[in-house]
């Protein structure tokens, strides 16, 4: 397993992040470069580095009602299985806890393997709702009594 360094994204990460998002277009849809740049500028993106390269990212938004909405999480295909995704979710939980967030919510298209990942990481399936073209599972984790640890 490679050592993973987690940190806030910076403007110089934009090209690598966009390339990761584009590689997962079938799962994510088309992610706009300006939206990624805005997340970086707002301080609402974390990246995982392995061997000096961006191995994954998570972008999110903290709402005024103390909910964190996870928009995208991507791990480079060749880095999957290294614990990068779990590390990113753990870092997101830690960041959310420091701002007083009470929950993290995300939507994932039904049928994607990522649904099993969210369940394994302690997220609870709240509802399945219609989406544009495919149904979406709504996953959430309550942070009210959370220590910041992702379920093993």
């Amino acid at each position: 397993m490679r050592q993973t360094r987690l940190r806030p994204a910076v403007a110089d990460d934009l090209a690598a992040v966009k390339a990761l998002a584009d590689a997962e277009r079938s799962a994510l849809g088309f992610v706009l470069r300006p939206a990624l740049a805005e997340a970086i500028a707002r301080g609402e993106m974390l990246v995982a580095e392995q061997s000096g390269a961006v191995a994954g990212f998570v972008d999110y938004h903290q709402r005024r009602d103390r909910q964190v909405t996870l928009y995208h999480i991507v791990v480079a295909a060749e880095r999957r299985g290294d614990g990068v995704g779990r590390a990113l979710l753990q870092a997101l939980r830690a960041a959310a806890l420091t701002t007083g967030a009470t929950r993290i919510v995300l939507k994932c298209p039904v049928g994607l393997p990522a649904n099993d990942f969210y369940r394994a990481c302690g997220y609870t399936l709240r509802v399945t709702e219609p989406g544009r073209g495919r149904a979406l599972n709504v996953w959430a984790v309550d942070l009210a009594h959370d220590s910041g640890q992702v379920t093993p």
Side-chain angles (χ1 to χ4, degrees):
M1 186 180 300
R2 302 172 196 203
Q3 184 172 354
T4 303
R5 179 176 166 243
L6 300 163
R7 61 174 174 77
V10 296
D12 287 346
D13 295 321
L14 183 57
V17 166
K18 177 64 169 142
L20 287 173
D22 286 348
E24 295 300 322
R25 191 172 290 155
S26 64
L28 300 178
F30 189 75
V31 180
L32 299 173
R33 180 179 294 270
L36 295 171
E38 288 173 22
I40 292 170
R42 285 191 318 266
E44 293 181 334
M45 182 184 292
L46 302 169
V47 296
E49 278 186 341
Q50 288 183 339
S51 304
V54 175
F57 76 92
V58 59
D59 71 304
Y60 59 95
H61 178 64
Q62 169 112 20
R63 299 182 348 184
R64 289 185 186 160
D65 66 358
R66 300 186 343 173
Q67 174 179 301
V68 170
T69 302
L70 187 160
Y71 290 127
H72 307 102
I73 182 169
V74 179
V75 174
E78 66 275 10
R79 304 292 172 94
R80 291 184 188 143
D82 286 352
V84 174
R86 283 183 184 274
L88 284 165
L89 286 184
Q90 186 170 347
L92 176 60
R93 279 186 181 192
L97 286 167
T98 65
T99 62
T102 58
R103 67 190 161 281
I104 300 172
V105 177
L106 65 96
K107 294 180 181 182
C108 183
V110 170
L112 290 184
N115 287 287
D116 294 329
F117 169 71
Y118 297 125
R119 180 176 284 112
C121 288
Y123 284 69
T124 302
L125 179 61
R126 297 289 167 94
V127 68
T128 300
E129 60 185 35
R132 285 185 273 159
R134 54 187 172 175
L136 300 171
N137 285 331
V138 179
W139 294 92
V141 66
D142 179 18
L143 301 176
H145 304 289
D146 193 339
S147 66
Q149 297 295 313
V150 173
T151 305

